[in-house]
């Protein structure tokens, strides 16, 4: 399959109230997309196929089983502790990019994916892009 059916891209969006936020404020809500069950199943199958093809570094925790946010915090804490015990400096930078996925340069991402994934998977990923739907 080299093209994702348009029915897989159609979601029902519901707005969820963020915890402890006033319900009269629009910014108190976050959208949640409900995709068709078949689309979710297809996504899980593709992810299972693609994971072994991707050579993710040890510090990459997203999309990896048994790698939680808490595990990442423990990892960082251990690195800092080791450096401090050795009387070394341990500079760190933390970045939280607001709406990061929405700002991805799709053509550039697809170009980079084409260097590590088989062509048919790249075509499939390209068809999921909001710019090509």
């Amino acid at each position: 399959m080299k093209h994702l059916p348009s029915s897989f891209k159609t979601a029902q969006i519901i707005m969820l109230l963020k915890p402890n936020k006033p319900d009269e404020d629009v910014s108190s809500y976050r959208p949640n997309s409900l995709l068709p069950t078949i689309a979710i199943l297809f996504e899980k199958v593709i992810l299972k196929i693609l994971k072994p093809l991707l050579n993710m570094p040890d510090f990459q925790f997203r999309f990896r089983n048994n790698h939680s946010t808490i595990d990442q915090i423990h990892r960082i804490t251990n690195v800092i502790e080791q450096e401090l015990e050795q009387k070394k400096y341990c500079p760190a930078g933390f970045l939280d990019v607001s709406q990061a996925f929405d700002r991805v340069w799709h053509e550039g991402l697809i170009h980079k994916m084409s260097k590590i994934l088989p062509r048919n998977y790249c075509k499939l990923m390209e068809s999921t892009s909001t710019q090509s739907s």
Side-chain angles (χ1 to χ4, degrees):
M1 176 186 276
K2 294 182 183 175
H3 182 75
L4 195 67
S6 59
S7 62
F8 282 24
K9 301 180 200 179
T10 305
Q12 179 182 1
I13 299 174
I14 60 171
M15 300 305 286
L16 299 175
L17 182 63
K18 295 175 185 175
N20 304 318
K21 297 289 183 175
D23 59 358
E24 64 275 354
D25 186 2
V26 175
S27 65
S28 296
Y29 292 86
R30 66 174 179 82
N32 190 6
S33 300
L34 303 177
L35 291 168
T37 305
I38 189 72
I40 294 169
L41 178 62
F42 181 75
E43 186 178 292
K44 289 184 183 291
V45 169
I46 292 296
L47 184 59
K48 190 170 187 98
I49 292 168
L50 292 181
K51 270 186 180 180
L53 298 175
L54 303 174
N55 190 15
M56 289 190 278
D58 290 337
F59 57 83
Q60 172 66 45
F61 275 42
R62 183 72 172 127
F63 302 117
R64 294 180 69 187
N65 296 338
N66 304 316
H67 286 75
S68 70
T69 303
I70 297 299
D71 292 329
Q72 185 70 297
I73 291 169
H74 286 300
R75 188 187 73 79
I76 292 171
T77 304
N78 287 338
V79 168
I80 293 170
E81 186 177 345
Q82 288 171 5
E83 294 298 306
L84 291 176
E85 283 177 4
Q86 295 176 21
K87 307 267 191 254
K88 294 182 179 178
Y89 288 103
C90 188
F94 299 92
L95 180 63
D96 181 12
V97 180
S98 176
Q99 298 175 332
F101 182 76
D102 297 337
R103 298 170 191 212
V104 168
W105 178 39
H106 292 265
E107 293 83 9
L109 178 60
I110 290 168
H111 175 74
K112 285 187 176 193
M113 286 191 320
S114 71
K115 298 197 180 292
I116 57 172
L117 296 177
R119 183 165 171 70
N120 57 331
Y121 292 122
C122 288
K123 285 290 183 192
L124 181 62
M125 295 298 126
E126 191 172 357
S127 79
T128 66
S129 172
T130 55
Q131 295 171 352
S132 63
S133 60

